[in-house]
Each structure stands twice: as C-alpha cells, then as structure tokens.
Amino acid sequence: MINKLIDKIRKTNAPIVVGLDPMLNYVPKHIQDKAFAEYGETLEGAAEAIWQFNKGIVDATYDLIPAVKPQIAMYEQFGIPGLQAYKKTIDYCKSKDLVVIGDVKRGDIGSTSAAYAVGHLGKVQVGSKFYAGFDEDFATVNPYLGTDGVKPFVDVCKEENKGLFILVKTSNPSSGEFQDRIIDGRPLYEWVGEKVAQWGEDHMGNEYSYIGAVVGATYPEMGKVLRKIMPKTFILVPGYGAQGGKGADLVHFFNEDGLGAIVNSSRGIIAAYKQEKYASIGEQNYADASRKAVEDMAADISGALESR
Amino acid sequence: MINKLIDKIRKTNAPIVVGLDPMLNYVPKHIQDKAFAEYGETLEGAAEAIWQFNKGIVDATYDLIPAVKPQIAMYEQFGIPGLQAYKKTIDYCKSKDLVVIGDVKRGDIGSTSAAYAVGHLGKVQVGSKFYAGFDEDFATVNPYLGTDGVKPFVDVCKEENKGLFILVKTSNPSSGEFQDRIIDGRPLYEWVGEKVAQWGEDHMGNEYSYIGAVVGATYPEMGKVLRKIMPKTFILVPGYGAQGGKGADLVHFFNEDGLGAIVNSSRGIIAAYKQEKYASIGEQNYADASRKAVEDMAADISGALESR
C-alpha cells in the first residue's frame, strides 16, 4: 500500500491528502436541508448530510490527489449512523482508487490493539468466515503504550500489505508538554521517531516502509531532524493551511527524491468555499472551491520543493 | 458521576469494575450457535453472540458491582454491528444502574478531541436537536497530545457531570519504553500524573475529582508514588488476575479512607468458567462462574485492604 501511495503521488504530482473531517457547519445549507427533509434533524439526517458533502468533494478532487484521510472522530460524534457514514466514505473513496488513511489514533495493549488492527486494517474471524469491519488502507496509531501496543498493528499490516502512521510530534500548541521533554539529552519525540524507524524496518516497501510517522507542519525544525532520524519513513504532515503551516515550511519533511512526506489539509480544502479567496465560487458549488483549493495547495508545495 | 461511583463502591463494598471485553472464543458454544442460527456466521451474528454473552454476565453480577468497563476495541473489530452491540451493552448496563466506563482510549487535538468527547460523553447538535451518540459515564483518554488534547474532554465532562480516566502508567510489559523515561530526574508517568492532578482540580466531586487516572496493577511500586502525587484522583487499575496483579499488590493504590481506586478484571471474570477453579460450574452456567469470580475478587481485595 505504501508502494501504491508513492505511485499515485508520482502520477498526480501532488503529495497531498484531503482530510475528510466534516463538521456539520461546513456542510452547505442545501445539502443539510435535503438530508433533514428525508431523515429529520436526527443522527441519521446528520450522517446523510456529511456523507453527501464528502461525496461531492471526492467526485470533484479524486483525479488530482493520491489519498484521503477521514477523521473518525467527526463521524463517531454522530454515534452509529455517523460511523455508517464513515464506512460509506471509505468504500466510496476506494471505489475511486484513492488510498484511504483512517485517522483513528487508536492504541492499546496486546489483544486489544490486535482487535483495533483487525477491525480497521484486517479481517475478523466469525466461525468459518472472515470479514473486514472498516477496511482502511492505513491507520494512525498512538505510541504512548510502547512496542506491545504497536506490534499487533504491524503484524496485521504485514498480513494485509497495509500501513500505519504513528504519532511522533503532533501539530497542536501543547504537543510539547510531553513530546518535547528532554530524555538523555534528546526530546521524547526523537526517541519515538527512532522506535518508528525500527518498527518500520520489519515491514519495508520498495523505497519506503509501510510504517510511517505523523509530524505536524507547525514544527518545521523538528521535521528536519526527524527526517534524518527516520530516512525510510513516510511522514504524514497535518497542520497545513488552517493550522498555520505553509508550503515553504514543508520542504524539510521531504527527502532529496522529492518523496517521503504527504501533507494533509482538512478545513482548508473541504470548507474552501467559506474562504474569501474562493467565495465567488458560491456555496452551491462548494466542491468546485475544494478542487481549486487542492490545485492551489499542490502548486504551493511543488513551488516550494522546486525552489529549495 | 464520581460521587455516584463512590456511593456504589461503598454500598457494594467492592471497588471492582468488570471489564466487558468479549472475545468470540470466550462466548459459550450454545450462545454462539443460537446467534449464528439466527444471523449466520456474519458480523451481525458475532455481535448478537457477544451481546447475549454480556447480558448474561450483567444479569448475574450487577448487584455485586458498582461499574463495568466495556473495551470498545472488542466491539469495533466487528465493524458497525459490533459497535451496535457496544451501544446496546452500555444502555443495558445503565438500565441496571451500573456506572459505565467506556474504555475507548481516545485522544486527539482541539475540535477533534471535542468531537470524541461529545460522541462518548456529551450531546451533539443536529439542527435544533441534541443527541447522545454513545453516552458512557466515563471514558479513558490518552494524554500523549497534551493539555489541548485533554481539555475538550474535561469541558464536556463539566457540562455533563461525567468523568475521565487518563492513561498514566499502563499495565503492559513495554509500557516503560516511553512512560518510564527519566525527565529532570523523574519518570514521564510522574509528570503525566501531575498534569492529571492539575486537570482534575478544575472538576472536583465531593471527595475526589471527576478526572481519574489509569495505573496498571502490574506496577504496585509506581502506584504507591502516583497515589501521593494525585491524592484526589481516583485510579482505575487494570491488570488484576489474568495480567498477573494480585490483591496484595493493590493496597498502595488506595487511600487511608479505603477509597481512591477501582480495580478492573476482564478475562478473569467474564471467562471465569474456563478456569480450572470454576470448571465444575459448567459452560452452560458461565454467568454463575462470573458471579463466583466477582465474589472471590471482592474478598481478595477486601482482605488485602483490611490486613494492611
């Protein structure tokens, strides 16, 4: 799956992930109205609204991008109907040949991590049959519990040719509270980065490992160091756009081969129609605004990579 | 909710949580057969089997215990039908007046943490209406992302009089990889424990904070130190029984008032019928074996607390 992701990045020339993190207030009024007319102001109505919203964005952008990253929390907040919309979104994106990164940030120990891994990336056994519960291509994982929390995910990835992005340094302001604390002269995130590189050696693709890392765009200097510590690790970089990251901040996350990083933008793309820059496109044509935002983001990143 | 938990611990004289973490191979054959006869060997069949299994255990133990802790991973592995069984289990336990701790170990940043908090502990707005997605009483939370990952959970807890248990020191063998690393002379878990105590000051119940901590039974010496660092924090202690913790190891997790900790056992109770000790009770009567295991666990812990 890391090989497929790299192929698609090369073909689209866009190391970009669209974060499908729909807040209900991003969904244009005409879509909400239609969903509520059919299902009422219910969890089912909300789930229908975010699914239709997603579908519009995917239809308008799938030829430009290699991957999407639905954030499961945004669906989980609507209970079971929300999670049904999450599953529908995954299946639809896969039918469009997009790589799907489930931003689930799961993490537990032993058999519990194995259950998450099986549910999101593998197949669960029921009697003599096997079923995939959610079936994303990649999942994000929290490393706080150590190797025996991560290993069951890696094992399932090896069976299924799937991958992970493990949190190393997150994009939020208080990520430093624990992640930046100095241990034997180096910050915790470097120690985690080293472990990610080690875990990744166990499951290599052609050029990069199936086991990637998450490092926030908001910390470019740390990205530079981590890029060196984890040379064969693909880095998923959140925090572009709305969280403050710019193309020029991102160059250090990439290797000399122009690969090694994939940059996520969520609100900046899916709610682009709300920005002054794209306002003339209009709420009805929200998906066209998203397409334009993807094109602008791809140009920003290519420009920064070319001029480094 | 922390006040209710404490009341119920006093009434039952059992600082015990039953971990409803059903693996399909824990479910007696007659229950699996019945579920598969009705729904086939499908995700729906598996979900029905684990729900019926849970119901039997809850019916047999609810008068002896204050709380249950369903581990969502064990349901999530069966996709949407599994999560429907999770929700059914929560609702049924609440109808029996049990306190429900959702072992979800979620954690993200800002609006994403807020979405998890709303989905599990609060109410989400849809148009002019509000709905509770999962509606647990407590949730477990991963602290790796720092204060702005945890704060949105605390905010929802304050609105809803609900609570959290935040991972501090987990029970697994490799929990030390990051959690035990020394920062300015003290291990990371102590720094996290201090933060938990701070976060908890913001949302106090009568005697203890609504914001609790998770500290594994397998690390009693660390429990002793953390008990002092977090005097007003309730500690959820996993790892009793199957993971190796014993009553005598647990005394340091409790305060002098006999409160301050609640001990989880999962496999040791829900799959008790598989242990030699309870084998004579028989697979058909698996729930009676669980009741006996709860009684034995309560006696083990009371005995240890009385003889300290």
Side-chain angles (χ1 to χ4, degrees):
Chain A
M1 207 37 86
I2 189 69
N3 300 335
K4 177 175 175 177
L5 181 62
I6 292 171
D7 278 354
K8 287 191 68 93
I9 290 172
R10 286 204 168 106
K11 269 181 205 149
T12 55
N13 194 29
I16 286 179
V17 197
V18 172
L20 294 173
D21 309 356
M23 306 279 277
L24 208 43
N25 63 12
Y26 296 170
V27 179
K29 193 172 174 302
H30 68 281
I31 295 178
Q32 290 198 41
D33 286 349
K34 190 156 178 258
F36 293 159
E38 196 170 353
Y39 295 95
E41 289 182 346
T42 60
L43 294 177
E44 288 75 12
E48 171 68 10
I50 60 177
W51 151 243
Q52 292 296 345
F53 175 66
N54 284 347
K55 188 172 175 299
I57 291 166
V58 171
D59 286 342
T61 60
Y62 76 93
D63 59 319
L64 300 178
I65 56 173
V68 291
K69 180 175 75 63
Q71 166 53 261
I72 197 170
M74 296 303 169
Y75 304 82
E76 208 164 307
Q77 68 181 327
F78 298 110
I80 302 289
L83 287 161
Q84 285 168 326
Y86 177 73
K87 176 63 177 141
K88 247 169 145 170
T89 298
I90 292 168
D91 290 347
Y92 189 70
C93 292
K94 288 174 77 170
S95 81
K96 295 287 185 184
D97 202 37
L98 290 163
V99 173
V100 177
I101 303 167
D103 197 353
V104 299
K105 294 191 180 66
R106 301 303 194 244
D108 208 290
I109 65 174
S111 60
T112 312
S113 269
Y116 278 132
V118 154
H120 287 281
L121 301 169
K123 294 184 193 73
V124 70
Q125 185 167 7
V126 181
S128 58
K129 307 263 175 58
F130 290 85
Y131 296 94
F134 287 100
D135 211 16
E136 299 96 321
D137 298 315
F138 285 85
T140 56
V141 167
N142 187 309
Y144 186 64
L145 294 93
T147 298
D148 49 29
V150 173
K151 189 68 172 31
F153 282 95
V154 177
D155 290 343
V156 169
C157 286
K158 286 168 81 168
E159 272 170 39
E160 303 281 342
N161 282 321
K162 292 190 171 180
L164 305 177
F165 289 100
I166 298 173
L167 304 187
V168 173
K169 171 70 188 169
T170 56
S171 59
N172 53 315
S174 68
S175 66
E177 264 172 28
F178 305 125
Q179 298 167 24
D180 294 4
R181 297 302 299 269
I182 302 296
I183 296 164
D184 286 349
R186 298 165 67 197
L188 174 59
Y189 64 78
E190 287 191 24
W191 294 103
V192 177
E194 248 175 35
K195 275 282 174 198
V196 169
Q198 258 177 46
W199 292 325
E201 284 169 14
D202 212 23
H203 187 27
M204 283 296 298
N206 296 338
E207 299 162 82
Y208 284 88
S209 174
Y210 284 80
I211 309 305
V214 176
V215 184
T218 39
Y219 299 103
E221 286 307 311
M222 299 175 185
K224 201 168 171 174
V225 175
L226 287 164
R227 179 67 289 165
K228 283 191 191 128
I229 292 177
M230 315 179 291
K232 294 288 178 196
T233 303
F234 234 80
I235 303 180
L236 170 65
V237 189
Y240 178 89
Q243 283 183 54
K246 289 185 302 289
D249 297 331
L250 296 169
V251 293
H252 302 309
F253 292 88
F254 289 84
N255 278 320
E256 289 302 314
D257 59 5
L259 290 170
I262 186 157
V263 183
N264 180 76
S265 176
S266 299
R267 193 169 44 191
I269 289 175
I270 68 174
Y273 77 94
K274 293 197 168 203
Q275 293 174 46
E276 212 182 304
K277 192 175 171 190
Y278 305 112
S280 64
I281 297 174
E283 186 172 325
Q284 283 278 343
N285 307 312
Y286 75 100
D288 298 335
S290 296
R291 184 175 176 91
K292 190 72 183 59
V294 166
E295 288 170 341
D296 290 348
M297 180 178 171
D300 179 32
I301 294 175
S302 307
L305 284 176
E306 278 158 24
S307 66
R308 71 169 164 176
Chain B
M1 205 38 84
I2 188 71
N3 300 335
K4 179 175 175 179
L5 181 63
I6 291 171
D7 278 353
K8 288 191 65 92
I9 290 171
R10 286 203 168 107
K11 270 180 203 149
T12 55
N13 194 28
I16 285 180
V17 198
V18 172
L20 294 173
D21 309 355
M23 306 280 277
L24 208 43
N25 62 11
Y26 295 170
V27 179
K29 193 171 174 303
H30 68 282
I31 295 179
Q32 289 198 42
D33 286 349
K34 191 159 177 252
F36 293 160
E38 196 169 352
Y39 296 95
E41 288 182 347
T42 60
L43 294 176
E44 288 75 12
E48 171 68 10
I50 61 177
W51 151 243
Q52 292 296 344
F53 175 66
N54 283 348
K55 186 171 175 299
I57 291 166
V58 171
D59 286 342
T61 59
Y62 75 93
D63 59 319
L64 300 179
I65 57 173
V68 291
K69 180 175 76 61
Q71 165 52 261
I72 197 170
M74 296 303 169
Y75 305 82
E76 209 164 306
Q77 67 180 330
F78 298 111
I80 302 290
L83 287 161
Q84 285 168 325
Y86 177 73
K87 176 63 178 143
K88 245 167 145 171
T89 299
I90 292 168
D91 291 347
Y92 189 70
C93 291
K94 289 174 77 169
S95 81
K96 294 288 185 184
D97 202 37
L98 289 164
V99 172
V100 177
I101 302 168
D103 197 353
V104 299
K105 293 192 180 65
R106 300 305 193 243
D108 208 292
I109 65 174
S111 59
T112 313
S113 269
Y116 279 132
V118 153
H120 287 280
L121 301 169
K123 294 184 193 74
V124 69
Q125 186 166 4
V126 181
S128 57
K129 307 264 174 58
F130 290 85
Y131 296 95
F134 288 100
D135 212 17
E136 299 96 322
D137 298 316
F138 286 85
T140 56
V141 167
N142 187 309
Y144 186 66
L145 294 92
T147 297
D148 50 29
V150 174
K151 188 69 170 32
F153 282 96
V154 177
D155 291 343
V156 169
C157 286
K158 286 168 81 168
E159 272 169 38
E160 303 281 342
N161 281 320
K162 292 188 170 182
L164 304 177
F165 289 99
I166 297 173
L167 303 188
V168 173
K169 171 70 189 170
T170 56
S171 59
N172 53 315
S174 69
S175 66
E177 264 172 28
F178 305 125
Q179 298 167 23
D180 294 3
R181 298 301 300 268
I182 302 298
I183 296 164
D184 287 349
R186 299 164 66 196
L188 173 59
Y189 64 79
E190 286 191 25
W191 294 103
V192 177
E194 246 175 38
K195 275 282 175 196
V196 169
Q198 257 177 45
W199 292 325
E201 284 169 14
D202 212 24
H203 186 28
M204 283 296 299
N206 296 336
E207 299 161 84
Y208 285 88
S209 173
Y210 283 80
I211 309 304
V214 177
V215 184
T218 40
Y219 299 103
E221 286 308 310
M222 300 174 184
K224 200 168 172 175
V225 175
L226 286 163
R227 179 66 289 164
K228 282 190 191 129
I229 292 177
M230 315 179 292
K232 294 288 177 196
T233 303
F234 233 80
I235 303 179
L236 171 64
V237 188
Y240 178 89
Q243 283 183 56
K246 289 184 302 290
D249 298 330
L250 296 169
V251 294
H252 301 309
F253 292 87
F254 290 84
N255 278 320
E256 289 303 313
D257 58 6
L259 289 170
I262 185 156
V263 182
N264 180 77
S265 177
S266 299
R267 194 169 45 192
I269 289 174
I270 67 174
Y273 76 95
K274 293 195 169 206
Q275 294 174 44
E276 211 180 306
K277 192 174 170 189
Y278 305 113
S280 65
I281 297 174
E283 186 172 325
Q284 283 278 343
N285 307 312
Y286 74 100
D288 298 335
S290 296
R291 184 175 177 91
K292 190 74 184 60
V294 166
E295 288 170 341
D296 289 349
M297 180 179 171
D300 179 32
I301 295 175
S302 307
L305 285 175
E306 277 157 24
S307 66
R308 71 169 165 176

